[in-house]
Amino acid sequence: MKSVTLKDVAKAAGVSYATVSRALSGSHQIGSDTRERIIKLCDEMGYTTNYVARSMVTKRTGLIGLVVPSIDNQFMSELAYYAEMSARGHGYNIMLCNSGPDLKQEKTVVKLLLSRQVDGILIVPQSPKTYENIRAYTDQVPTVFLSENLRDQPQSYVAVDNSRGTYIGTKYLYELGHRDILYFGRRHTTTHQFRAEGYIRACRELGLTPRFFNSEFTRSSITGGYQLAKELFAKPIDYSAIFASTDSNALGVLKAADDARINIPGQLSLIGFDNISSTALPRIELTTMEQPKRDMAVQAVDMLRDKIENGTQGYVHQILMPTLIKRSTCRDLHAS
């Protein structure tokens, strides 16, 4: 099948190749009636811009690679959505890749994006080892890391203050009268390390004993949270509140609690972290720490555009503040 070219459109419209080109570029060198007629004809004939040919002239593809560990994770999908909307608003298209389940796959998709000549890459890292694992490739293209705090690594990133989030959430539970607070689902990533640190700091300041129920899963999910919570609830409950490391884990806790006929918040209070959209649904209404997903995505895209369009060197570490979203899964013990 033969693709429709500018020459085909020019012939059908009875105008020159240059006139069609000017119409599509929005040039004011032709009249509005002619421009509208040509654009309508392009649509009728099924003409599409040859971005490969254009990139050979402009040295840009208009593509941004977006790498996430797993798009079926609701937090990741919402973050990807906002990143795409922001990029599209500035004339870029997103090429989305899943990096799961391991560092080898993460490196593979980054190499793929470079081979497709993307103008830049946004990446939610797989683990603390990601930076060194793909450094040889990200040194070749403008790159901004997203969601994961890389501490002092000389690479640009946008993340939330995870430690501050768990600190605020723990203090909120304390203010409601809770003195036995279990931290649920900690994993071996930088994000989880920061969240655990905030929880520990709050416990120490408040005179509480930190308690953990850790996860060995490679990523957070409702299924994983459910399996962990079933194991947890098989033992005596000697705590009044659970701080789940993610909303996905918290939703798993809710399901397991329902199976075990444990009333939340009547018998057990629960708080999550992320504020994914499903946490606000009726009969869930999870209290959680919100990550400003839209702001994170917009700032990461803007940071990357600055590197692409202005050739800005160096790196920026942007840390955004989380917000406590109070709903109905935390009980005020003082009101008992």
Side-chain angles (χ1 to χ4, degrees), residues 229-241:
K230 283 184 67 176
E231 180 183 341
L232 176 66
F233 293 152
K235 304 173 183 178
I237 298 177
D238 55 354
Y239 43 87
S240 65

Side-chain angles (χ1 to χ4, degrees), residues 161-178:
D161 191 335
N162 287 288
S163 178
R164 181 67 179 167
T166 47
Y167 177 85
I168 292 171
T170 304
K171 288 196 70 174
Y172 172 66
L173 289 171
Y174 182 86
E175 290 165 359
L176 294 178
H178 296 279

Side-chain angles (χ1 to χ4, degrees), residues 176 266 331-336:
L176 294 178
R331 178 187 174 196
D332 186 350
L333 298 185
H334 298 304
S336 300

Side-chain angles (χ1 to χ4, degrees), residues 287-299:
T287 296
T288 184
M289 296 304 306
E290 179 180 38
Q291 292 204 63
K293 296 177 285 296
R294 182 183 180 280
D295 289 346
M296 290 168 64
V298 168
Q299 291 195 32

